[in-house]
Short mmCIF file of all heavy atoms in Angstrom, two decimals:
data_model
loop_
_atom_site.label_atom_id
_atom_site.label_comp_id
_atom_site.label_asym_id
_atom_site.label_seq_id
_atom_site.Cartn_x
_atom_site.Cartn_y
_atom_site.Cartn_z
N VAL A 57 -10.29 34.59 -6.09
CA VAL A 57 -10.59 35.13 -7.42
C VAL A 57 -11.29 34.06 -8.28
O VAL A 57 -12.13 34.39 -9.13
CB VAL A 57 -9.30 35.66 -8.11
CG1 VAL A 57 -9.55 35.99 -9.57
CG2 VAL A 57 -8.82 36.90 -7.38
N LEU A 58 -10.98 32.80 -8.02
CA LEU A 58 -11.66 31.72 -8.76
C LEU A 58 -13.17 31.81 -8.57
O LEU A 58 -13.95 31.66 -9.52
CB LEU A 58 -11.18 30.36 -8.26
CG LEU A 58 -10.09 29.69 -9.05
CD1 LEU A 58 -9.62 28.43 -8.32
CD2 LEU A 58 -10.55 29.35 -10.45
N ARG A 59 -13.58 32.04 -7.35
CA ARG A 59 -15.01 32.14 -7.05
C ARG A 59 -15.61 33.40 -7.70
O ARG A 59 -16.72 33.39 -8.20
CB ARG A 59 -15.20 32.16 -5.54
CG ARG A 59 -16.62 32.08 -5.09
CD ARG A 59 -16.70 31.97 -3.58
NE ARG A 59 -18.07 32.02 -3.15
CZ ARG A 59 -18.87 30.97 -3.09
NH1 ARG A 59 -18.42 29.78 -3.43
NH2 ARG A 59 -20.12 31.10 -2.71
N ARG A 60 -14.82 34.45 -7.70
CA ARG A 60 -15.27 35.68 -8.35
C ARG A 60 -15.43 35.48 -9.86
O ARG A 60 -16.39 35.95 -10.46
CB ARG A 60 -14.22 36.78 -8.05
CG ARG A 60 -14.75 38.16 -8.00
CD ARG A 60 -13.66 39.09 -7.46
NE ARG A 60 -14.01 40.45 -7.69
CZ ARG A 60 -14.69 41.22 -6.84
NH1 ARG A 60 -15.08 40.74 -5.69
NH2 ARG A 60 -14.99 42.46 -7.15
N VAL A 61 -14.49 34.77 -10.46
CA VAL A 61 -14.59 34.48 -11.90
C VAL A 61 -15.82 33.61 -12.16
O VAL A 61 -16.56 33.83 -13.13
CB VAL A 61 -13.30 33.80 -12.41
CG1 VAL A 61 -13.49 33.25 -13.82
CG2 VAL A 61 -12.13 34.78 -12.37
N ALA A 62 -16.08 32.65 -11.28
CA ALA A 62 -17.28 31.80 -11.44
C ALA A 62 -18.53 32.67 -11.39
O ALA A 62 -19.46 32.49 -12.20
CB ALA A 62 -17.31 30.73 -10.35
N PHE A 63 -18.57 33.60 -10.46
CA PHE A 63 -19.72 34.51 -10.36
C PHE A 63 -19.91 35.28 -11.66
O PHE A 63 -21.03 35.39 -12.18
CB PHE A 63 -19.50 35.47 -9.18
CG PHE A 63 -20.56 36.53 -9.08
CD1 PHE A 63 -21.74 36.28 -8.40
CD2 PHE A 63 -20.38 37.78 -9.66
CE1 PHE A 63 -22.74 37.25 -8.31
CE2 PHE A 63 -21.36 38.76 -9.56
CZ PHE A 63 -22.54 38.49 -8.89
N ILE A 64 -18.81 35.80 -12.18
CA ILE A 64 -18.89 36.59 -13.42
C ILE A 64 -19.39 35.73 -14.57
O ILE A 64 -20.29 36.11 -15.31
CB ILE A 64 -17.51 37.20 -13.76
CG1 ILE A 64 -17.08 38.18 -12.67
CG2 ILE A 64 -17.52 37.86 -15.13
CD1 ILE A 64 -15.59 38.55 -12.71
N ARG A 65 -18.83 34.53 -14.70
CA ARG A 65 -19.21 33.66 -15.82
C ARG A 65 -20.67 33.21 -15.71
O ARG A 65 -21.39 33.18 -16.71
CB ARG A 65 -18.29 32.43 -15.88
CG ARG A 65 -16.85 32.78 -16.13
CD ARG A 65 -16.64 33.55 -17.40
NE ARG A 65 -16.50 32.67 -18.54
CZ ARG A 65 -16.16 33.08 -19.76
NH1 ARG A 65 -15.95 34.36 -19.98
NH2 ARG A 65 -16.06 32.23 -20.74
N MET A 66 -21.08 32.86 -14.51
CA MET A 66 -22.47 32.43 -14.33
C MET A 66 -23.42 33.57 -14.67
O MET A 66 -24.44 33.37 -15.33
CB MET A 66 -22.67 31.96 -12.88
CG MET A 66 -21.92 30.68 -12.57
SD MET A 66 -21.68 30.42 -10.80
CE MET A 66 -23.35 30.16 -10.24
N SER A 67 -23.07 34.75 -14.24
CA SER A 67 -23.92 35.91 -14.51
C SER A 67 -23.95 36.21 -16.01
O SER A 67 -25.00 36.51 -16.58
CB SER A 67 -23.41 37.13 -13.73
OG SER A 67 -23.45 36.88 -12.34
N GLN A 68 -22.79 36.11 -16.65
CA GLN A 68 -22.74 36.35 -18.09
C GLN A 68 -23.57 35.33 -18.85
O GLN A 68 -24.20 35.66 -19.85
CB GLN A 68 -21.29 36.30 -18.59
CG GLN A 68 -20.49 37.56 -18.26
CD GLN A 68 -19.16 37.56 -18.98
OE1 GLN A 68 -18.32 36.70 -18.76
NE2 GLN A 68 -18.98 38.54 -19.86
N GLN A 69 -23.55 34.08 -18.39
CA GLN A 69 -24.37 33.05 -19.04
C GLN A 69 -25.85 33.40 -19.00
O GLN A 69 -26.62 32.98 -19.85
CB GLN A 69 -24.15 31.69 -18.37
CG GLN A 69 -22.83 31.03 -18.71
CD GLN A 69 -22.73 30.71 -20.19
OE1 GLN A 69 -23.64 30.16 -20.79
NE2 GLN A 69 -21.62 31.09 -20.81
N LEU A 70 -26.24 34.17 -18.00
CA LEU A 70 -27.63 34.60 -17.88
C LEU A 70 -27.92 35.85 -18.71
O LEU A 70 -29.04 36.36 -18.70
CB LEU A 70 -27.96 34.87 -16.40
CG LEU A 70 -27.88 33.65 -15.49
CD1 LEU A 70 -27.99 34.08 -14.04
CD2 LEU A 70 -28.99 32.67 -15.85
N GLY A 71 -26.88 36.34 -19.39
CA GLY A 71 -27.07 37.53 -20.22
C GLY A 71 -26.97 38.82 -19.45
O GLY A 71 -27.40 39.87 -19.94
N ILE A 72 -26.42 38.77 -18.25
CA ILE A 72 -26.27 39.98 -17.46
C ILE A 72 -25.08 40.77 -18.00
O ILE A 72 -23.99 40.23 -18.14
CB ILE A 72 -26.04 39.63 -15.96
CG1 ILE A 72 -27.15 38.70 -15.43
CG2 ILE A 72 -25.90 40.89 -15.13
CD1 ILE A 72 -28.53 39.29 -15.45
N PRO A 73 -25.27 42.05 -18.30
CA PRO A 73 -24.16 42.85 -18.82
C PRO A 73 -23.04 42.99 -17.78
O PRO A 73 -23.31 43.01 -16.57
CB PRO A 73 -24.79 44.21 -19.11
CG PRO A 73 -26.25 44.06 -18.95
CD PRO A 73 -26.51 42.81 -18.19
N LEU A 74 -21.83 43.11 -18.29
CA LEU A 74 -20.68 43.25 -17.39
C LEU A 74 -20.83 44.45 -16.46
O LEU A 74 -20.41 44.41 -15.31
CB LEU A 74 -19.38 43.39 -18.19
CG LEU A 74 -18.69 42.10 -18.59
CD1 LEU A 74 -17.40 42.41 -19.34
CD2 LEU A 74 -18.42 41.19 -17.42
N SER A 75 -21.44 45.51 -16.96
CA SER A 75 -21.61 46.70 -16.13
C SER A 75 -22.49 46.38 -14.91
O SER A 75 -22.21 46.86 -13.80
CB SER A 75 -22.22 47.84 -16.93
OG SER A 75 -23.47 47.44 -17.47
N ALA A 76 -23.51 45.56 -15.11
CA ALA A 76 -24.38 45.18 -13.99
C ALA A 76 -23.67 44.23 -13.04
O ALA A 76 -23.84 44.30 -11.81
CB ALA A 76 -25.66 44.55 -14.50
N ILE A 77 -22.85 43.35 -13.60
CA ILE A 77 -22.07 42.43 -12.77
C ILE A 77 -21.09 43.23 -11.92
O ILE A 77 -20.94 42.99 -10.72
CB ILE A 77 -21.33 41.40 -13.66
CG1 ILE A 77 -22.34 40.54 -14.42
CG2 ILE A 77 -20.41 40.54 -12.80
CD1 ILE A 77 -21.71 39.67 -15.50
N GLN A 78 -20.46 44.19 -12.56
CA GLN A 78 -19.51 45.04 -11.85
C GLN A 78 -20.22 45.81 -10.74
O GLN A 78 -19.70 45.92 -9.63
CB GLN A 78 -18.87 46.01 -12.83
CG GLN A 78 -17.75 46.83 -12.25
CD GLN A 78 -17.03 47.60 -13.35
OE1 GLN A 78 -17.59 47.85 -14.42
NE2 GLN A 78 -15.79 47.95 -13.10
N GLU A 79 -21.40 46.28 -11.03
CA GLU A 79 -22.16 47.03 -10.03
C GLU A 79 -22.53 46.12 -8.86
O GLU A 79 -22.41 46.51 -7.69
CB GLU A 79 -23.43 47.60 -10.66
CG GLU A 79 -24.20 48.53 -9.76
CD GLU A 79 -25.45 49.09 -10.44
OE1 GLU A 79 -25.61 48.91 -11.66
OE2 GLU A 79 -26.25 49.69 -9.73
N ALA A 80 -22.94 44.89 -9.17
CA ALA A 80 -23.31 43.95 -8.11
C ALA A 80 -22.10 43.63 -7.23
O ALA A 80 -22.20 43.62 -6.00
CB ALA A 80 -23.88 42.67 -8.73
#
Side-chain angles (χ1 to χ4, degrees):
V57 170
L58 263 174
R59 188 175 175 85
R60 209 170 166 91
V61 169
F63 174 85
I64 296 165
R65 298 301 275 188
M66 292 161 67
S67 299
Q68 283 190 297
Q69 285 297 313
L70 296 170
I72 306 297
L74 273 182
S75 58
I77 297 170
Q78 187 171 23
E79 187 180 349

